[in-house]
Amino acid sequence: MKKNLKYIILALVALVFLGTFVALWKNSRPKEIKYEQLEATVRDIHKTSVMTGKIIPRNEVNIKPQISGIISELYKEAGQMVTEGEVIAKVKVIPEMSSLSSAQSRVRLADINLKQAQTNYDREKALYDKQLVSAEEFEQVRQNLQQAKEEKNAAVETLEVVRDGVSRSNAKSSSTLVRSTITGLILDIPVKVGNSVILSNTFNDGTTIATVANMNDLIFDGFIDETEVGRVKEGFPMTITVGAIDDLKFDAVMEFISPKAQEKNGTNEFEIKAAVIVPDSVTVRSGYSANAEIRLEGVDSVVSIPESALEFQGDSTFVYLVKGDKKYEKTLVTTGLSDGINIEIKSGLKEGDKVRGNQIIEKK
């Protein structure tokens, strides 16, 4: 029994040594190198530039009040349509005390002058009726009465404007009513009822009551690098992709290239604008981030291969043409335009030829 156990142990040891030897022998043999095979195909190659920017309305207007005061009513909300001249808000005037006092004093003085003019007129008319005064003298007194009445009306209107921001005679064109200056969509109303607002003047821009824009006329506003700006010009077609809208692309036409560069992230870039064509069925919101792709140059229906198949030696470019199973022939080629992935082959290959690509690395 012991003798048999001894043989079994020796056999196991021999198997271990044999297995180790076989494994080391296999690992010591050179591994077969495999390569991808890439086929030369006919395709269009376009070199493009991608610019980042945003979609904005061409005509966006900030609506500001004509007088200072407090918002008493808001008639519209963001997202609503508004027509030119339509009222958006109403401003309650908070009069300046010195101006109010001056206007009140003017009304009182005008009232005194009117009463005196009326007395003079009544007395002069009685004398005129008795033919005791001339027509010229009576006409002068009547004219003074009319002037006193006009002065009283003007003083009252001034008081109403100072106190209320509007007079009875110009109620329809009241400066307390904030009206839209264009027809469009209300993008934002940054004020609330009770907020103080001021009119635009030399010292400040005034308070924005609402922002209104024509959303039927949109543009792409972005920047292009100085190394590519010389290749584009107004009228070039572009393709706009909006990140917030999946699987949709819009056509656009470049219509403006800034003559002056701006420094952005350490490089010089030029602002560009392009008119965007948006279908009626698609809703695009102001400020959407977007990418614009513009074709700088291109060739159509040319033989091409992936650029990774090329090898370079001095000023020459080569590929390894597949000639059979694991057989390759080094072939000189002339290249053309590249889009960064595929490259045009002007000579050296024809459609359907296969070339050696990258080495295939087998996973362990």
Side-chain angles (χ1 to χ4, degrees):
M1 185 69 182
K2 291 183 179 179
K3 188 175 182 180
N4 291 335
L5 180 62
K6 180 179 179 181
Y7 288 140
I8 292 173
I9 293 173
L10 290 174
L12 291 174
V13 172
L15 287 174
V16 170
F17 275 105
L18 181 61
T20 302
F21 174 78
V22 170
L24 291 173
W25 177 76
K26 286 184 176 181
N27 289 335
S28 65
R29 295 188 63 189
K31 293 183 179 180
E32 180 182 359
I33 300 177
K34 296 182 179 180
Y35 294 93
E36 296 177 320
Q37 289 191 3
L38 306 174
E39 184 175 348
T41 58
V42 174
R43 60 163 53 88
D44 299 338
I45 296 181
H46 298 156
K47 189 170 185 178
T48 61
S49 176
V50 177
M51 295 151 282
T52 59
K54 58 184 178 180
I55 303 296
I56 60 174
R58 184 190 303 276
N59 189 17
E60 182 175 317
V61 178
N62 292 328
I63 308 300
K64 300 178 184 292
Q66 299 179 21
I67 59 174
S68 300
I70 294 175
I71 297 293
S72 60
E73 292 183 65
L74 286 173
Y75 302 106
K76 296 290 182 178
E77 296 179 353
Q80 293 182 325
M81 292 296 298
V82 66
T83 58
E84 182 179 352
E86 191 171 355
V87 178
I88 297 176
K90 184 177 181 180
V91 177
K92 179 183 178 182
V93 176
I94 305 299
E96 183 182 3
M97 295 310 298
S98 60
S99 299
L100 180 61
S101 297
S102 178
Q104 290 172 336
S105 175
R106 181 182 173 187
V107 170
R108 289 193 296 267
L109 181 59
D111 189 49
I112 292 172
N113 291 337
L114 178 58
K115 288 180 179 179
Q116 183 61 49
Q118 184 67 53
T119 300
N120 294 341
Y121 174 80
D122 293 341
R123 183 175 59 248
E124 200 72 14
K125 187 175 186 308
L127 296 174
Y128 179 73
D129 291 341
K130 296 178 182 180
Q131 297 183 352
L132 297 177
V133 294
S134 65
E136 291 80 2
E137 187 177 347
F138 173 71
E139 184 62 27
Q140 182 64 42
V141 173
R142 189 182 68 82
Q143 186 176 355
N144 291 340
L145 176 61
Q146 288 298 115
Q147 291 176 348
K149 288 180 179 179
E150 287 298 323
E151 175 60 26
K152 173 66 179 295
N153 291 336
V156 170
E157 285 196 1
T158 301
L159 176 60
E160 290 174 345
V161 171
V162 171
R163 183 186 59 206
D164 306 322
V166 59
S167 65
R168 284 170 292 180
S169 63
N170 64 357
K172 291 185 179 180
S173 59
S174 170
S175 57
T176 62
L177 299 178
V178 182
R179 302 175 185 271
S180 177
T181 56
I182 65 169
T183 297
L185 180 72
I186 299 177
L187 301 181
D188 185 29
I189 296 184
V191 296
K192 297 180 180 180
V193 173
N195 284 164
S196 297
V197 295
I198 57 175
L199 76 164
S200 177
N201 54 43
T202 307
F203 304 102
N204 58 70
D205 294 331
T207 306
T208 297
I209 302 295
T211 302
V212 181
N214 178 9
M215 295 302 293
N216 294 321
D217 187 7
L218 301 176
I219 62 173
F220 170 82
D221 186 14
F223 290 87
I224 186 171
D225 190 84
E226 64 178 343
T227 58
E228 298 177 337
V229 70
R231 301 181 183 181
V232 300
K233 62 181 180 179
E234 287 84 354
F236 268 32
M238 304 171 65
T239 302
I240 306 296
T241 304
V242 179
I245 306 177
D246 296 332
D247 303 324
L248 278 179
K249 294 185 177 181
F250 308 124
D251 293 328
V253 178
M254 185 178 295
E255 59 182 25
F256 171 78
I257 304 174
S258 175
K260 182 180 179 180
Q262 298 182 32
E263 186 174 344
K264 296 174 66 68
N265 300 322
T267 62
N268 288 334
E269 297 186 350
F270 292 80
E271 183 182 18
I272 66 165
K273 294 181 181 179
V276 182
I277 304 170
V278 180
D280 295 336
S281 59
V282 179
T283 300
V284 177
R285 303 182 186 278
S286 177
Y288 268 162
S289 297
N291 291 328
E293 182 178 305
I294 185 169
R295 177 176 170 177
L296 301 177
E297 54 183 320
V299 289
D300 298 331
S301 301
V302 295
V303 176
S304 67
I305 59 172
E307 196 168 350
S308 59
L310 299 179
E311 290 196 7
F312 302 94
Q313 183 177 341
D315 295 332
S316 301
T317 305
F318 297 89
V319 295
Y320 285 90
L321 185 63
V322 178
K323 285 296 186 179
D325 186 25
K326 303 178 185 178
K327 294 182 179 180
Y328 306 100
E329 180 181 301
K330 190 175 183 180
T331 303
L332 178 67
V333 294
T334 303
T335 59
L337 185 66
S338 170
D339 62 6
I341 299 176
N342 299 300
I343 189 167
E344 175 190 4
I345 301 297
K346 292 184 175 181
S347 64
L349 292 177
K350 63 181 182 299
E351 182 182 5
D353 285 346
K354 293 183 178 180
V355 298
R356 190 179 76 181
N358 294 325
Q359 180 180 343
I360 299 175
I361 299 176
E362 297 181 354
K363 296 181 179 180
K364 295 182 179 180

